[in-house]
Short mmCIF file of all heavy atoms in Angstrom, two decimals:
data_model
loop_
_atom_site.label_atom_id
_atom_site.label_comp_id
_atom_site.label_asym_id
_atom_site.label_seq_id
_atom_site.Cartn_x
_atom_site.Cartn_y
_atom_site.Cartn_z
N CYS A 1 35.43 -20.29 -30.14
CA CYS A 1 36.02 -20.40 -28.81
C CYS A 1 36.04 -19.02 -28.14
O CYS A 1 34.99 -18.45 -27.87
CB CYS A 1 37.41 -21.04 -28.88
SG CYS A 1 38.03 -21.56 -27.25
N LEU A 2 37.21 -18.45 -27.90
CA LEU A 2 37.26 -17.10 -27.34
C LEU A 2 36.52 -16.11 -28.23
O LEU A 2 35.99 -15.11 -27.76
CB LEU A 2 38.72 -16.67 -27.15
CG LEU A 2 38.97 -15.29 -26.55
CD1 LEU A 2 38.36 -15.18 -25.16
CD2 LEU A 2 40.46 -14.99 -26.53
N GLY A 3 36.48 -16.40 -29.53
CA GLY A 3 35.75 -15.56 -30.47
C GLY A 3 34.27 -15.47 -30.16
O GLY A 3 33.62 -14.48 -30.50
N LEU A 4 33.71 -16.49 -29.52
CA LEU A 4 32.33 -16.41 -29.02
C LEU A 4 32.26 -15.46 -27.84
O LEU A 4 31.43 -14.58 -27.78
CB LEU A 4 31.81 -17.79 -28.63
CG LEU A 4 30.43 -17.85 -27.96
CD1 LEU A 4 29.69 -19.12 -28.36
CD2 LEU A 4 30.51 -17.78 -26.44
N GLN A 5 33.14 -15.63 -26.87
CA GLN A 5 33.09 -14.84 -25.65
C GLN A 5 33.28 -13.35 -25.92
O GLN A 5 32.65 -12.50 -25.28
CB GLN A 5 34.16 -15.35 -24.67
CG GLN A 5 33.91 -16.79 -24.24
CD GLN A 5 35.01 -17.31 -23.32
OE1 GLN A 5 35.78 -16.54 -22.74
NE2 GLN A 5 35.08 -18.63 -23.18
N LEU A 6 34.11 -13.02 -26.90
CA LEU A 6 34.40 -11.62 -27.22
C LEU A 6 33.18 -10.89 -27.77
O LEU A 6 33.14 -9.65 -27.74
CB LEU A 6 35.55 -11.53 -28.23
CG LEU A 6 36.91 -12.03 -27.73
CD1 LEU A 6 37.89 -12.09 -28.89
CD2 LEU A 6 37.44 -11.13 -26.62
N LEU A 7 32.18 -11.61 -28.25
CA LEU A 7 30.98 -10.98 -28.79
C LEU A 7 30.13 -10.36 -27.67
O LEU A 7 29.24 -9.55 -27.95
CB LEU A 7 30.13 -12.01 -29.55
CG LEU A 7 30.78 -12.66 -30.77
CD1 LEU A 7 29.82 -13.68 -31.37
CD2 LEU A 7 31.18 -11.62 -31.81
N PHE A 8 30.41 -10.73 -26.43
CA PHE A 8 29.60 -10.27 -25.31
C PHE A 8 30.22 -9.05 -24.63
O PHE A 8 31.27 -8.57 -25.04
CB PHE A 8 29.36 -11.44 -24.35
CG PHE A 8 28.47 -12.48 -24.97
CD1 PHE A 8 28.98 -13.45 -25.83
CD2 PHE A 8 27.11 -12.46 -24.75
CE1 PHE A 8 28.15 -14.38 -26.45
CE2 PHE A 8 26.26 -13.39 -25.35
CZ PHE A 8 26.79 -14.35 -26.21
N GLU A 9 29.54 -8.54 -23.62
CA GLU A 9 29.91 -7.24 -23.05
C GLU A 9 31.15 -7.28 -22.18
O GLU A 9 31.92 -6.32 -22.12
CB GLU A 9 28.72 -6.69 -22.26
CG GLU A 9 27.50 -6.42 -23.13
CD GLU A 9 26.22 -6.19 -22.34
OE1 GLU A 9 25.96 -6.98 -21.40
OE2 GLU A 9 25.51 -5.23 -22.65
N SER A 10 31.35 -8.38 -21.46
CA SER A 10 32.48 -8.47 -20.54
C SER A 10 32.67 -9.92 -20.13
O SER A 10 31.87 -10.79 -20.48
CB SER A 10 32.24 -7.61 -19.30
OG SER A 10 31.10 -8.07 -18.58
N SER A 11 33.76 -10.17 -19.39
CA SER A 11 34.05 -11.52 -18.90
C SER A 11 34.63 -11.43 -17.50
O SER A 11 35.43 -10.54 -17.19
CB SER A 11 35.05 -12.22 -19.82
OG SER A 11 35.50 -13.43 -19.24
N ASP A 12 34.24 -12.37 -16.65
CA ASP A 12 34.82 -12.44 -15.30
C ASP A 12 36.32 -12.71 -15.35
O ASP A 12 37.03 -12.48 -14.36
CB ASP A 12 34.14 -13.54 -14.48
CG ASP A 12 32.74 -13.15 -14.04
OD1 ASP A 12 32.34 -11.99 -14.29
OD2 ASP A 12 32.03 -14.00 -13.47
N GLU A 13 36.81 -13.17 -16.48
CA GLU A 13 38.25 -13.46 -16.62
C GLU A 13 39.08 -12.17 -16.57
O GLU A 13 40.23 -12.20 -16.12
CB GLU A 13 38.51 -14.19 -17.94
CG GLU A 13 39.96 -14.57 -18.14
CD GLU A 13 40.19 -15.34 -19.43
OE1 GLU A 13 39.34 -15.28 -20.33
OE2 GLU A 13 41.23 -16.00 -19.52
N SER A 14 38.50 -11.07 -17.06
CA SER A 14 39.26 -9.83 -17.19
C SER A 14 38.37 -8.67 -16.73
O SER A 14 37.71 -8.02 -17.55
CB SER A 14 39.71 -9.62 -18.64
OG SER A 14 40.45 -10.73 -19.11
N GLU A 15 38.37 -8.42 -15.45
CA GLU A 15 37.50 -7.38 -14.89
C GLU A 15 37.86 -6.00 -15.45
O GLU A 15 39.03 -5.66 -15.59
CB GLU A 15 37.62 -7.37 -13.36
CG GLU A 15 36.97 -8.57 -12.70
CD GLU A 15 36.95 -8.42 -11.19
OE1 GLU A 15 37.11 -7.29 -10.70
OE2 GLU A 15 36.76 -9.45 -10.50
N GLY A 16 36.84 -5.25 -15.79
CA GLY A 16 37.04 -3.90 -16.29
C GLY A 16 37.29 -3.80 -17.78
O GLY A 16 37.36 -2.70 -18.33
N VAL A 17 37.43 -4.94 -18.45
CA VAL A 17 37.67 -4.94 -19.89
C VAL A 17 36.34 -5.12 -20.62
O VAL A 17 35.60 -6.07 -20.35
CB VAL A 17 38.64 -6.08 -20.30
CG1 VAL A 17 38.82 -6.11 -21.81
CG2 VAL A 17 39.97 -5.90 -19.60
N LYS A 18 36.05 -4.23 -21.52
CA LYS A 18 34.82 -4.31 -22.28
C LYS A 18 35.01 -5.18 -23.52
O LYS A 18 36.01 -5.06 -24.22
CB LYS A 18 34.36 -2.91 -22.71
CG LYS A 18 33.89 -2.04 -21.56
CD LYS A 18 33.39 -0.69 -22.07
CE LYS A 18 32.89 0.18 -20.92
NZ LYS A 18 32.40 1.50 -21.40
N GLY A 19 34.02 -6.07 -23.76
CA GLY A 19 34.03 -6.85 -24.98
C GLY A 19 33.40 -6.09 -26.12
O GLY A 19 33.19 -4.88 -26.05
N LEU A 20 33.06 -6.79 -27.19
CA LEU A 20 32.49 -6.15 -28.36
C LEU A 20 31.05 -5.69 -28.11
O LEU A 20 30.55 -4.80 -28.80
CB LEU A 20 32.55 -7.10 -29.56
CG LEU A 20 33.97 -7.45 -30.03
CD1 LEU A 20 33.93 -8.60 -31.03
CD2 LEU A 20 34.66 -6.24 -30.62
N GLY A 21 30.38 -6.32 -27.15
CA GLY A 21 29.04 -5.88 -26.77
C GLY A 21 27.97 -6.10 -27.82
O GLY A 21 26.97 -5.38 -27.85
N LEU A 22 28.14 -7.10 -28.67
CA LEU A 22 27.17 -7.37 -29.73
C LEU A 22 26.00 -8.21 -29.23
O LEU A 22 24.93 -8.20 -29.84
CB LEU A 22 27.86 -8.06 -30.90
CG LEU A 22 28.95 -7.23 -31.59
CD1 LEU A 22 29.74 -8.09 -32.55
CD2 LEU A 22 28.34 -6.04 -32.31
N LEU A 23 26.21 -8.97 -28.16
CA LEU A 23 25.17 -9.82 -27.59
C LEU A 23 25.17 -9.67 -26.08
O LEU A 23 26.17 -9.24 -25.49
CB LEU A 23 25.41 -11.29 -27.98
CG LEU A 23 25.36 -11.64 -29.47
CD1 LEU A 23 25.85 -13.07 -29.69
CD2 LEU A 23 23.95 -11.48 -30.02
N LYS A 24 24.04 -10.03 -25.46
CA LYS A 24 23.92 -9.94 -24.01
C LYS A 24 24.03 -11.32 -23.37
O LYS A 24 23.41 -12.28 -23.83
CB LYS A 24 22.59 -9.29 -23.64
CG LYS A 24 22.50 -7.81 -24.04
CD LYS A 24 21.17 -7.21 -23.60
CE LYS A 24 21.09 -5.74 -23.97
NZ LYS A 24 19.80 -5.14 -23.55
N GLY A 25 24.79 -11.40 -22.30
CA GLY A 25 24.99 -12.65 -21.58
C GLY A 25 26.21 -12.50 -20.68
O GLY A 25 26.92 -11.50 -20.75
N LYS A 26 26.45 -13.49 -19.83
CA LYS A 26 27.57 -13.44 -18.89
C LYS A 26 28.63 -14.46 -19.30
O LYS A 26 28.32 -15.59 -19.68
CB LYS A 26 27.09 -13.79 -17.48
CG LYS A 26 26.01 -12.86 -16.94
CD LYS A 26 25.53 -13.37 -15.58
CE LYS A 26 24.40 -12.50 -15.03
NZ LYS A 26 23.90 -13.04 -13.74
N ILE A 27 29.90 -14.04 -19.23
CA ILE A 27 31.02 -14.97 -19.40
C ILE A 27 31.60 -15.21 -18.02
O ILE A 27 32.15 -14.29 -17.39
CB ILE A 27 32.08 -14.40 -20.36
CG1 ILE A 27 31.45 -14.01 -21.71
CG2 ILE A 27 33.20 -15.42 -20.56
CD1 ILE A 27 30.81 -15.16 -22.46
N VAL A 28 31.46 -16.43 -17.52
CA VAL A 28 31.85 -16.74 -16.15
C VAL A 28 32.77 -17.97 -16.14
O VAL A 28 32.86 -18.71 -17.12
CB VAL A 28 30.62 -17.01 -15.27
CG1 VAL A 28 29.74 -15.76 -15.21
CG2 VAL A 28 29.81 -18.19 -15.79
N GLU A 29 33.44 -18.18 -15.00
CA GLU A 29 34.39 -19.28 -14.88
C GLU A 29 33.68 -20.60 -14.58
O GLU A 29 32.73 -20.63 -13.80
CB GLU A 29 35.41 -18.99 -13.79
CG GLU A 29 36.57 -19.96 -13.76
CD GLU A 29 37.68 -19.53 -12.82
OE1 GLU A 29 37.46 -18.59 -12.04
OE2 GLU A 29 38.76 -20.15 -12.88
N ILE A 30 34.16 -21.66 -15.20
CA ILE A 30 33.65 -22.99 -14.88
C ILE A 30 34.02 -23.30 -13.43
O ILE A 30 35.18 -23.17 -13.04
CB ILE A 30 34.25 -24.05 -15.82
CG1 ILE A 30 33.83 -23.79 -17.27
CG2 ILE A 30 33.82 -25.46 -15.40
CD1 ILE A 30 34.53 -24.69 -18.29
N PRO A 31 33.06 -23.71 -12.61
CA PRO A 31 33.36 -24.00 -11.19
C PRO A 31 34.43 -25.08 -11.05
O PRO A 31 34.42 -26.08 -11.79
CB PRO A 31 32.01 -24.48 -10.64
CG PRO A 31 30.99 -23.90 -11.56
CD PRO A 31 31.63 -23.88 -12.91
N LYS A 32 35.33 -24.88 -10.09
CA LYS A 32 36.41 -25.85 -9.89
C LYS A 32 36.13 -26.82 -8.76
O LYS A 32 36.97 -27.65 -8.42
CB LYS A 32 37.72 -25.09 -9.62
CG LYS A 32 38.18 -24.25 -10.80
CD LYS A 32 39.44 -23.48 -10.49
CE LYS A 32 39.89 -22.68 -11.70
NZ LYS A 32 41.10 -21.85 -11.41
N ASN A 33 34.94 -26.73 -8.18
CA ASN A 33 34.60 -27.58 -7.05
C ASN A 33 33.58 -28.65 -7.40
O ASN A 33 32.90 -29.18 -6.54
CB ASN A 33 34.05 -26.73 -5.90
CG ASN A 33 32.80 -25.93 -6.30
OD1 ASN A 33 32.41 -25.94 -7.45
ND2 ASN A 33 32.20 -25.27 -5.32
N ASN A 34 33.45 -28.97 -8.70
CA ASN A 34 32.45 -29.96 -9.10
C ASN A 34 33.07 -31.32 -9.43
O ASN A 34 32.39 -32.18 -9.98
CB ASN A 34 31.63 -29.44 -10.29
CG ASN A 34 32.50 -29.12 -11.50
OD1 ASN A 34 33.66 -29.52 -11.55
ND2 ASN A 34 31.94 -28.43 -12.47
N GLY A 35 34.34 -31.49 -9.10
CA GLY A 35 35.00 -32.78 -9.34
C GLY A 35 35.51 -32.98 -10.74
O GLY A 35 36.09 -34.02 -11.05
N LEU A 36 35.33 -31.98 -11.60
CA LEU A 36 35.80 -32.06 -12.98
C LEU A 36 37.01 -31.16 -13.17
O LEU A 36 37.14 -30.12 -12.53
CB LEU A 36 34.68 -31.65 -13.94
CG LEU A 36 33.42 -32.53 -13.90
CD1 LEU A 36 32.32 -31.91 -14.73
CD2 LEU A 36 33.74 -33.94 -14.39
N LYS A 37 37.88 -31.55 -14.07
CA LYS A 37 39.08 -30.76 -14.33
C LYS A 37 38.73 -29.50 -15.10
O LYS A 37 37.88 -29.50 -15.98
CB LYS A 37 40.10 -31.59 -15.12
CG LYS A 37 40.70 -32.75 -14.34
CD LYS A 37 41.74 -33.49 -15.17
CE LYS A 37 42.35 -34.63 -14.39
NZ LYS A 37 43.35 -35.38 -15.21
N VAL A 38 39.40 -28.42 -14.76
CA VAL A 38 39.29 -27.16 -15.48
C VAL A 38 40.69 -26.80 -15.96
O VAL A 38 41.63 -26.82 -15.16
CB VAL A 38 38.72 -26.04 -14.58
CG1 VAL A 38 38.65 -24.72 -15.34
CG2 VAL A 38 37.33 -26.44 -14.05
N PRO A 39 40.89 -26.54 -17.25
CA PRO A 39 39.85 -26.27 -18.25
C PRO A 39 39.08 -27.50 -18.70
O PRO A 39 39.55 -28.63 -18.53
CB PRO A 39 40.66 -25.68 -19.42
CG PRO A 39 42.02 -26.28 -19.28
CD PRO A 39 42.27 -26.35 -17.81
N HIS A 40 37.91 -27.26 -19.23
CA HIS A 40 37.11 -28.26 -19.92
C HIS A 40 37.83 -28.53 -21.24
O HIS A 40 37.84 -27.69 -22.13
CB HIS A 40 35.71 -27.68 -20.14
CG HIS A 40 34.82 -28.51 -21.01
ND1 HIS A 40 33.80 -27.95 -21.75
CD2 HIS A 40 34.77 -29.85 -21.25
CE1 HIS A 40 33.15 -28.91 -22.41
NE2 HIS A 40 33.73 -30.06 -22.11
N MET A 41 38.45 -29.70 -21.34
CA MET A 41 39.27 -30.00 -22.51
C MET A 41 38.93 -31.39 -23.04
O MET A 41 38.97 -32.37 -22.29
CB MET A 41 40.76 -29.94 -22.14
CG MET A 41 41.69 -30.21 -23.31
SD MET A 41 43.44 -30.16 -22.81
CE MET A 41 43.61 -28.45 -22.28
N GLY A 42 38.58 -31.46 -24.30
CA GLY A 42 38.28 -32.73 -24.92
C GLY A 42 36.92 -32.73 -25.58
O GLY A 42 36.30 -31.69 -25.81
N TRP A 43 36.43 -33.93 -25.87
CA TRP A 43 35.19 -34.10 -26.63
C TRP A 43 33.98 -34.10 -25.70
O TRP A 43 34.02 -34.69 -24.63
CB TRP A 43 35.23 -35.40 -27.42
CG TRP A 43 36.30 -35.40 -28.48
CD1 TRP A 43 37.61 -35.71 -28.29
CD2 TRP A 43 36.15 -35.04 -29.84
NE1 TRP A 43 38.29 -35.56 -29.48
CE2 TRP A 43 37.42 -35.18 -30.44
CE3 TRP A 43 35.06 -34.63 -30.62
CZ2 TRP A 43 37.63 -34.91 -31.80
CZ3 TRP A 43 35.26 -34.37 -31.97
CH2 TRP A 43 36.53 -34.50 -32.54
N ASN A 44 32.92 -33.44 -26.14
CA ASN A 44 31.68 -33.44 -25.38
C ASN A 44 30.52 -33.30 -26.36
O ASN A 44 30.66 -32.69 -27.43
CB ASN A 44 31.67 -32.28 -24.38
CG ASN A 44 30.78 -32.56 -23.17
OD1 ASN A 44 29.96 -33.47 -23.20
ND2 ASN A 44 30.93 -31.76 -22.13
N SER A 45 29.38 -33.85 -25.97
CA SER A 45 28.21 -33.78 -26.85
C SER A 45 27.45 -32.48 -26.62
O SER A 45 27.53 -31.89 -25.54
CB SER A 45 27.29 -34.98 -26.61
OG SER A 45 26.81 -34.97 -25.28
N ILE A 46 26.70 -32.05 -27.61
CA ILE A 46 25.93 -30.82 -27.49
C ILE A 46 24.45 -31.12 -27.72
O ILE A 46 24.09 -32.05 -28.44
CB ILE A 46 26.40 -29.74 -28.48
CG1 ILE A 46 26.10 -30.12 -29.94
CG2 ILE A 46 27.91 -29.49 -28.31
CD1 ILE A 46 26.35 -28.99 -30.93
N LYS A 47 23.62 -30.33 -27.07
CA LYS A 47 22.16 -30.42 -27.23
C LYS A 47 21.70 -29.22 -28.04
O LYS A 47 21.88 -28.07 -27.62
CB LYS A 47 21.48 -30.44 -25.85
CG LYS A 47 19.97 -30.59 -25.90
CD LYS A 47 19.58 -31.96 -26.39
CE LYS A 47 18.07 -32.15 -26.36
NZ LYS A 47 17.66 -33.45 -26.93
#
């Protein structure tokens, strides 16, 4: 969970805070205008 996000360089959740920087990618907020509840909570399938 958050342990995945911390492996990356930063997150839009906490501007100016550096992550562990072990992998490259963006941590961004799930859009709240798509008709789905945020947080994303519950069961979902993965590809």
Side-chain angles (χ1 to χ4, degrees):
C1 194
L2 181 60
L4 174 146
Q5 297 177 17
L6 295 171
L7 299 178
F8 292 82
E9 297 166 314
S10 62
S11 170
D12 286 354
E13 182 178 19
S14 305
E15 289 188 17
V17 177
K18 291 183 179 180
L20 295 169
L22 297 169
L23 297 170
K24 293 182 179 180
K26 301 175 183 177
I27 305 299
V28 298
E29 189 171 11
I30 296 173
K32 295 178 179 177
N33 59 355
N34 59 14
L36 298 171
K37 292 182 179 179
V38 178
H40 172 207
M41 181 181 297
W43 295 84
N44 206 344
S45 62
I46 68 171
K47 183 69 177 176

